Amino acid sequence: MLGGFESLITATALQRLLDEDAIVIGRLNCDEFAMGSSNEYSVYGAVRNAADPTRVAGGSSGGSAVAVQADLCGAALGSDTGGSVRQPAAFCGVVGCKPTYGRISRHGLIAYASSFDQIGSLTRTVEEAALLLEIMAGQDNYDATAATQAVPSYSQQLNSGEKRRLAYYREALYNEGLDSDLQAQMLALIAQLRKEGHTVDEITFPDMECMIPTYYVLTAAEASSNLSRYDGTHYGYRTPLADSLEQLYRNSRSEGFGREVQRRIMLGTFVLSSGYYDAFFTKAQKVRRLIADTTLDALRRYDFCCRLPLPMWLLVWVK
């Protein structure tokens, strides 16, 4: 859909890295419009895991994760809506950082779901992730959703030596769908943390099964709105086969968007329709609030909270 399009601006996050003499060496593959979790929904083909090409790299920022994994670059950027930085980082054995919403300006980021999207980094170490966040974060006059709070010196706060309070969710760690090897590794990590003097508690998250449906309803709704601008008349792909304005819209979007993007647009249009808005979109917004409240309550009591929601990714919330 964006073939041949050249941006008129430089994203704020990228510009701040360039201002610190970062060297950009190339662009990387991702799922189309960041819609996917395996990096197989790309017009350029699938991304393969550098450790084992028979396995996926995770997505949507799979190319970024593999580039760091394969030592093609020192660090890479990606976008994260529902795991698109953290999940490929986990699959490829690198460090993925999705900051709090608004911590990094979204100016220059192509929107998928505006209330979820965030620019993140993929690096080899936590120290590198902290340094990149420190550089990219901060208020931006081009993005009204960017946080106005001062940016801490993240890179100087990593090795305090303090004993931490951590929590994990029982519903995730003991879910029957969780891979047994992954569960064993997590239990070993918990034991190691306790041995080092940290407090690790088991807590519950009763609404965990609602997370994935809520995510798909809300993000698809926002995607159907955000992607309506790609209609064949403004910029990007335009069909050569159209005899009317309606046919121009229909053919451009049918030919320019891949199947997965089309599915999510249709789902979003459906949940926003007058007959189903309250039944799906409004209800999902309420559930999202409950999920956020549960998470914030845990972070008031702990420094870190971990969950491994089905089907795929590890999320770590840091206070």
Side-chain angles (χ1 to χ4, degrees), residues 31 51 53-54 86 105 119 130 137-138 146 148 158 161-162 172 219 224 232 256 266 287:
D31 285 300
T54 66
R86 296 157 290 168
S105 168
I119 294 173
T148 58
L158 296 176
E162 298 178 48
T219 57
S224 72
M266 289 189 289
V287 176

Side-chain angles (χ1 to χ4, degrees), residues 10 14 53 79 109 156 159 176 184 248 257 300 308 315-316:
T10 299
L14 179 57
S79 66
L109 174 67
Q156 303 301 313
N159 301 306
E176 62 181 12
L248 173 67
F257 287 131
R300 293 186 186 100
L308 294 93
L315 303 185
V316 179

Side-chain angles (χ1 to χ4, degrees), residues 107-118:
H107 175 66
L109 174 67
I110 292 178
Y112 161 20
S114 300
S115 70
F116 290 78
D117 297 340
Q118 189 56 246

Side-chain angles (χ1 to χ4, degrees), residues 23-41:
I23 300 172
V24 178
I25 61 174
R27 297 179 296 176
L28 295 158
N29 201 355
C30 67
D31 285 300
E32 183 183 358
F33 285 98
M35 296 183 188
S37 55
S38 60
N39 217 151
E40 295 175 293
Y41 299 114

